[in-house]
Amino acid sequence: MDKLKSFTSSSLFLPIVALAVLLIFNGIFVEGFFDIQITEDGRLFGRVIDILTRSSSLVILSLGMTLVIATSGIDISVGAVVAISAAVVCTLIGGRGDGAAETPMALAMLASVGIGILCGIWNGILVAKFKIQAVVATLILMTAGRGIAQLLTEGQIVTVYYKPFASIAGVIPGMPLPTNVFIALAMVLLVVFVMKKTSIGLFIQSVGINPTAAKYVGINVTLVLFLVYAFSGFCAGVTGLIESSLIKAADANNAGLNMEMDAILAVALGGTLLSGGKFYLGGSVIGAVTIQTLTTTLYALGVSADQLPVVKAIAVIAICLIQSKKARDLFDKWKSGRSAKAVTADAKAVNKA
Amino acid sequence: MAAALLEMRHIDKVFPGVKALSNVDFTLHAGEIHSLMGENGAGKSTLVKVLTGVYPKDGGTIHLNGKEIYPKTPKEAQEEGISTVYQEVNLCPNLTVAENIFIGREPRRFGFIDWKEVNRRSIELLKKLDVDIDVSKTLDNYPVAIQQMVAIARAVDVDAKILILDEPTSSLNEVETERLFRIVRQLQKQGMGIIFISHFLEQIYELCDHITILRNGELVGSYEVAKLPRLELIAKMVGKNLNDVKDMDKMAEKSVPSDEVFIETNHAASTGQIKDVSLQIHKGEVIGLAGLLGSGRTETAEMMFGLKEVTGGSLKINGKEEKLSNPMAAMKEKIAFCPEDRKLSGIIGDLTVRENIILALQAMDGMFTHIPYSKQVELADKFIDKLRIKVSDRDQLIKNLSGGNQQKVIIARWLATQPRFLILDEPTRGIDVGTKTEIQKMAVELAKNEGMSVAFISSEMDEMVRTCSKLVVMRDRKKVAELTGDQISSEGVMEAIAGGEK
Amino acid sequence: MKKKISELIASKYFSFFVTVILFAILYGVGIGMYKGFMKPQVFLNLFIDNAALIIVTIGITFTLLIGGIDLSVGAVLALTCMVLAWLLANTGISVFAAIALVLLMGTAFGAIQGYLIAKFDLQPFIITLAGMLFCRGMTAVISRETINITNPTFVAMADFRLSVGAGFVSMGVIIAIIALIVAAVVLGFTRFGRNIYALGGSESSASLMGLPVFKTKVSVYTISGFCSALGGIAYALMMLTGYNLHGMGMEMDAIASSVIGGTLLTGGVGFIPGALFGVLIQGVILTFISFQGTLSAWWTKIVVGALLCVFIIMQAFITEHKSKLTAKSSLEENS
Ligand SMILES: Nc1ncnc2c1ncn2[C@@H]1O[C@H](COP(=O)(O)OP(=O)(O)OP(=O)(O)O)[C@@H](O)[C@H]1O
Ligand SMILES: [Mg+2]
């Protein structure tokens, strides 16, 4: 009983409930939603697996975004950084028709993740050193970033024919799941490990809650901010790899488009306040999966691409309302008010009799 | 006696984990100044907040002039005629002083705010409190004391039946306090009922007619001031018998500093902040920094903690010249600093008490290490016990503690780093009588038993005189005198502040 | 003189002055580089091209001032254009009824968002993001194709030109100027306006001071909704179409303009004339690009980003040194 209570009051409870409701809804209305098949070479197939695979990019982005938001910042450049990273890896490997790589793939991957980190560092400098408001600071890269990506690809869509490249977001033979699921899992574990073994998390929260007080206890606020944005850039770099591998090409206009908004949404659905402070990595991961589930569900139900945002918006507001403490309080009050009325009505009835 | 103006009966208030008020009765008559007393965390502010609709009550009734009222927001309470100055200054830093006084009830002409009138009336109003400042500057330009005066000006200007002042004098000096009292007495004559909360016993005895005492959220009793001697009041507040209380107030013997100097400054200056300060702080010495507000006391302390750059003169630690470029550099030299503005630069509100206590130690250990959880718990519990911090559990959020207990957590945070030089800037502001002497004793004992150097900054002269073995007096951002031994007395300090250089 | 300067630096309009001066410098550089910048009409075109953005920025500034945000503005603008075009194409109602209807729609939409945010303590970023998705979606649901506006009255309004000095302005500019004045007066001289600042300064203080927090919050989002719809009309006057992708990303432009003009995203600080100059600065940057004329699409994005960056860093640099400047000058005053 105690266990149950501690679970219901835990920060993860509501995000999990929201996801569970969505899954149950799917289970009832979408035929064969929970079916998972295994192919002969040990691969797993099914809608749930599909959701897991597709949400991996968003999971990775939301990790970085969570930490940035915890410092009471925001990073709206991640979508553009995804495009840059995708452009770097594709142009380095090159679009040679004979399927050869111009640069070794490992090197190209390193370079594209490196560029991601560099972009993050740039944001970090603007926010931490120049003390520019985060939205504006990251707006610069959001505006210029796609331009840089297009510059790299010279406005073309660079298609990569080098076979191994597809395996970043595809299945390596013998593995049960696509590689990007493992990448996302590894990133999550990495972050959780770092948060457990160091006090970075505590410092991030302190900076997000009260930067002046954080400075007074000797926390290097500048460094904390800097690291957080660099990490967000790193996450965007990795996502760029996955996204480009998924379509085996770099599309500077569309890679990572609007992903910053989805990532922020994932963080918020996970229970982290956008005003900073306490953060919930687990919540963000669940939030990311929830968003992907929602999209998949709506497509499965035959909602057209035009209507999709409309339904998504309503679902997001519904999820927020379920999670809102104030809404629950008001609901409780209304309920108790009603039962009180019922009691008085009963009493009256008794009196009359 | 006339019918009561305000009657609160059987008030209950529960916060998660704390019963802040249980079955509390409170009665206020018109034309009465009524004090609410109790230790830190006794529930005084909570009672005020329940009355003014900040918190919903969990039980009980409130009658105003015989009519039951249910204020659900401060706005509704104001409309019922209850005007309040809350404990933490609650104004908007981004608005001008004049606006802070008049917002929500600005004088208008043709439907538009008449700014000239707003400014004129604010100047007039502040003049009554003898505050002469530029009211068209934003509030964040002014120190806490002025902000408090502004909050008071706002509250006394409205036509109210009840005026509530929750620790309005915590950062005022004697002169300012006197002016406030003058106005409060005027309002009393006009038939207003006034609730006055303060930890300064002298002020209570000077101003109030009646005292209601709370302890642990319960009502101890309500008394006429004339019939309640001080010691009895203290005994009732802390819940001990008279004899125990008598010893409590005795001060420990002052510490005798060793010959070794820990930190010294030589004509140190900091652009725009400090002009010329030379002082030596010995090991095992409690040094006091005295002076009026804005005299450079806090800035001197901040300079020794690496928050203000030394731009002229020098600063030596253990005989070696040091450049303290940030707080961490000072912390590495085992210097600790409890800042004056607890809310702004002390507490990290949404972290737990435990996290707040270990934070400085963790910062010293570095970002990439981690104090094991069991060690954190041990440290937190040790200090909660040692400083008698009143918490429901160590993982309570610090922002939900009463003011005094927040202060203790900040002190604990720095003691956990085992410093050799501890700077306490206004450590007893808003602290109850018992704890106040505890903190003073602690400062002296740390110096005596552990050879720690302590710098003590306070606006209360008594406290400095009792605690410090040396007093450095500052004026206009310069050191103007240094008092030791028998020279240390309130008069000595006053003379130094007022008179020329010695 | 020295005292004047130090007062100016300490004043709350400091970042506004910085913006204006930087705008003047930018424009001066433009004149130096391209003769065309000298023409008065180039200056007036800044207003004509950005009338809709100015109106939308006013609305978003209200929400930023209370420490909130409204991401739905661009989408509401698009929806307004679309509904207006659809009404004029498919029903017989008069132009003015149609305009009133879409204004009402935008206002009501803003009010709903505000109610959700204030009543249930929801995060404005998320609610208005959902609002953005909703309106974009609805726009596409009405029509995925462009709907042209051919109503003669409306076209006449779009063709209207008011001559000012050596140039002219459009109907949209007139609407924008009126909106600017009304907004500046409301924020500066009414209780409601000041409550907005108080709320942005500290919500808990505002509540303890007995200000109407709930009402103010809802009103602010309602105003933002209204401004987005009004901006939509200005936009429709310029484009004479309803289209799904109208005003794409406009929310970010509006936020950037407001912030460049001195608004703090944490709330409580901001100034309507500042927001105007924020828009103008972005306009000048685009004018530069169009005078240059040879830049490829991607270089345009990079240059816009770079100029934005130069501007923002300069502003940050000056503000950063502000404290030092004030400290110095006050010390000089003392001694
Ligand atoms: N918002 C809150 N949430 C949880 N607990 C609270 C909250 N506010 C106050 N408390 C608890 O209620 C108790 C009474 O606090 P209160 O602030 O009324 O004390 P006080 O008598 O005013 O003390 P002080 O003299 O330090 O101001 C304390 O134990 C405090 O921790
Ligand atoms: Mg209190």
Side-chain angles (χ1 to χ4, degrees), chain A residues 16-199:
Chain A
I16 288 180
V17 168
L19 180 58
V21 168
L22 211 54
L23 289 175
I24 292 169
F25 180 86
N26 268 304
I28 297 170
F29 290 99
V30 181
E31 219 173 298
F33 181 78
F34 288 110
D35 293 354
I36 294 177
Q37 284 135 19
I38 306 179
T39 61
E40 276 166 27
D41 51 357
R43 261 196 281 165
L44 299 173
F45 268 121
R47 277 193 195 276
V48 181
I49 301 297
D50 201 37
I51 289 174
L52 219 54
T53 313
R54 279 171 198 252
S55 51
S56 58
S57 291
L58 200 53
V59 166
I60 294 172
L61 279 184
S62 66
L63 288 177
M65 191 65 82
T66 308
L67 300 187
V68 169
I69 286 178
T71 63
S72 81
I74 201 161
D75 185 353
I76 56 173
S77 71
V78 290
V81 176
V82 166
I84 297 179
S85 152
V88 167
V89 73
C90 290
T91 42
L92 279 181
I93 294 177
R96 278 167 55 168
D98 62 357
E102 281 166 17
T103 322
M105 188 166 110
L107 209 63
M109 284 168 65
L110 223 55
S112 83
V113 174
I115 284 283
I117 297 177
L118 221 57
C119 290
I121 288 179
W122 163 257
N123 287 332
I125 290 175
L126 290 185
V127 175
K129 260 267 79 64
F130 288 99
K131 307 205 166 49
I132 297 171
Q133 299 187 61
V135 172
V136 193
T138 53
L139 178 72
I140 295 172
L141 203 52
M142 184 196 188
T143 313
R146 284 198 188 277
I148 295 173
Q150 283 168 338
L151 184 70
L152 289 170
T153 60
E154 288 163 352
Q156 310 288 317
I157 292 179
V158 179
T159 309
V160 174
Y161 296 102
Y162 179 59
K163 281 268 148 45
F165 182 62
S167 63
I168 300 176
V171 183
I172 295 174
M175 289 301 217
L177 293 169
T179 320
N180 47 351
V181 176
F182 292 110
I183 298 177
L185 193 67
M187 298 268 293
V188 172
L189 290 179
L190 173 82
V191 177
V192 169
F193 179 79
V194 169
M195 291 301 141
K196 276 247 149 39
K197 287 292 164 202
T198 71
S199 49

Side-chain angles (χ1 to χ4, degrees), chain B residues 78 94 99 106 113 115 154, chain C residues 188-189 191 194 197 209 268:
Chain B
Q78 272 180 25
N94 59 323
E99 254 194 299
E106 296 98 334
I113 297 174
W115 284 116
R154 175 182 172 83
Chain C
F189 294 93
R191 285 192 186 168
R194 301 322 291 173
Y197 282 91
M209 287 200 278

Side-chain angles (χ1 to χ4, degrees), chain B residues 54 74-75 78 86 90-96 99-100 103-108 111-113 115 138 154 271-272 275, chain C residues 12 185 188-191 194-195 197-198 200-202 204-212 267-269 327-328 331 334:
Chain B
V54 179
K75 186 166 184 283
Q78 272 180 25
Y86 294 94
N90 279 294
L91 298 170
C92 294
N94 59 323
L95 301 183
T96 66
E99 254 194 299
N100 267 298
I103 190 146
R105 50 193 189 87
E106 296 98 334
R108 288 181 290 191
F112 296 111
I113 297 174
W115 284 116
T138 52
R154 175 182 172 83
T271 317
K275 284 181 191 158
Chain C
K12 54 185 167 166
V185 169
F189 294 93
T190 65
R191 285 192 186 168
R194 301 322 291 173
N195 289 348
Y197 282 91
S202 161
S204 64
S205 292
S207 153
L208 289 180
M209 287 200 278
L211 303 178
V269 179
K328 238 183 217 154
L331 197 72
N334 275 345

Side-chain angles (χ1 to χ4, degrees), chain C residues 58 171-184 230:
Chain C
I58 293 171
M171 185 73 112
V173 177
I174 300 170
I175 299 176
I177 299 284
I178 294 174
L180 276 171
I181 294 172
V182 171
L230 195 64

Side-chain angles (χ1 to χ4, degrees), chain B residues 258-273:
Chain B
S258 79
D259 293 334
E260 273 176 274
V261 175
F262 177 75
I263 186 168
E264 66 176 302
T265 64
N266 232 318
H267 299 292
S270 179
T271 317
Q273 309 280 345

